[in-house]
Amino acid sequence: MATATSRDGTKIGFEQVGSGPTLVLVDAAGGFRGFGPMGSLAERLADRFTVVTYDRRGRGESGDTLPYAVEREVEDLAAVITAGGGPAFVHGFSSGAALALLGAAAGLPISMLSLLEPPIALDQPPLEGDLAAEIDELVAAGRRADAVEHFHKGIGVPAEMVAGMRQAPFFPMLEGIAHTLAYDARITPAVSLATLRFVTVPALVVNSESSDDRLRGWAADVATALPQGRHLPLAGEWHGVSDDVLAPALADFFGGGAA
């Protein structure tokens, strides 16, 4: 593992595998190098790219300088791209895709972008309540398990998946980083239609054909709104596409850009 230093001095843990053009992977809520899909995806892409995975702030080996602001996470991504050698391809999943969009709109050295089911509702009114503030309150009260469950219910995870979450072997780990779920709850609504107009690089927006109408529709809408967006439905599960399907699609997309 290596570290990059963000603009506010926060140390961000990262690692890289493979060789070729740099490709940075941005995790979704609750994901980091020790948990989530990015590690196995990196291994699948390492024969074509130098793949960089990192711990978003507050997770894994990364620091968590307060107060939090969405802009700090954009600066973290900038630091990781720089540490990885400069301009990069970037792939983001869910709220990580929203973060990648914010980075591209801010002018980070991102040459191409792929997004797996960004949860961005361009044509819908904001959700009632303040999910981020509600998570903050639960964490402050010591109710981390409730915060994890409340977040997943709030973002629309199917009830049957939420029901068994507390019994999952990884649930204590999610409790430990429950406070970062409020970060993701702030990142996603920070992306607007105006934001997307500033993302001028080629962008591939992927969704699983087995996700619900809401997630599939959001992906299609984001692809349409991006100046160089392309929509690609792939076989998968709810809010996920296996490495066997996703890795070749990303390799083809980014490989064309490298050529």
Side-chain angles (χ1 to χ4, degrees):
M1 190 200 77
T3 59
T5 303
S6 195
R7 186 175 181 180
D8 69 350
T10 302
K11 298 297 183 181
I12 304 297
F14 76 94
E15 62 183 296
Q16 56 188 41
V17 295
S19 61
T22 301
L23 168 58
V24 177
L25 307 183
V26 187
D27 268 302
F32 60 102
R33 288 180 303 121
F35 177 74
M38 294 309 194
S40 60
L41 181 61
E43 293 293 338
R44 289 294 302 270
L45 292 166
D47 62 334
R48 297 278 298 274
F49 307 95
T50 299
V51 189
V52 179
T53 53
Y54 75 102
D55 296 336
R56 287 175 50 193
R57 66 172 53 207
R59 314 177 192 186
E61 300 297 324
S62 291
D64 195 19
T65 305
L66 299 176
Y68 177 82
V70 172
E71 291 78 11
R72 303 293 83 77
E73 288 226 53
V74 174
E75 292 165 0
D76 297 347
L77 177 56
V80 170
I81 292 173
T82 298
F89 303 139
V90 172
H91 168 70
F93 172 38
S94 196
S95 55
L99 176 56
L101 284 166
L102 290 170
L108 269 55
I110 297 171
S111 50
M112 296 179 74
L113 192 63
S114 67
L115 313 160
L116 176 56
E117 296 197 347
I120 299 166
L122 296 175
D123 60 348
Q124 298 176 14
L127 295 175
E128 293 183 5
D130 187 337
L131 182 59
E134 292 162 1
I135 294 166
D136 285 338
E137 290 177 5
L138 289 169
V139 170
R143 298 170 58 192
R144 285 180 166 267
D146 291 338
V148 173
E149 188 171 291
H150 183 64
F151 173 80
H152 287 89
K153 288 179 178 177
I155 64 172
V157 174
E160 62 272 18
M161 297 177 69
V162 176
M165 189 173 291
R166 293 196 187 215
Q167 284 70 51
F170 55 79
F171 192 77
M173 180 276 300
L174 290 178
E175 285 185 87
I177 59 172
H179 61 289
T180 68
L181 299 175
Y183 303 170
D184 293 274
R186 291 182 169 91
I187 285 171
T188 299
V191 180
S192 66
L193 184 60
T195 304
L196 300 186
R197 292 181 180 134
F198 285 96
V199 180
T200 57
V201 299
L204 179 69
V205 187
V206 178
N207 69 263
S208 166
E209 294 172 340
S210 296
S211 287
D212 53 68
D213 290 346
R214 180 190 56 156
L215 288 168
R216 290 186 283 111
W218 289 347
D221 290 346
V222 168
T224 299
L226 288 165
Q228 293 197 68
R230 172 188 162 199
H231 182 215
L232 179 64
L234 292 174
E237 56 193 24
W238 183 85
H239 202 36
V241 175
S242 72
D243 294 343
D244 289 342
V245 177
L246 182 60
L250 298 186
D252 287 346
F253 176 65
F254 291 124

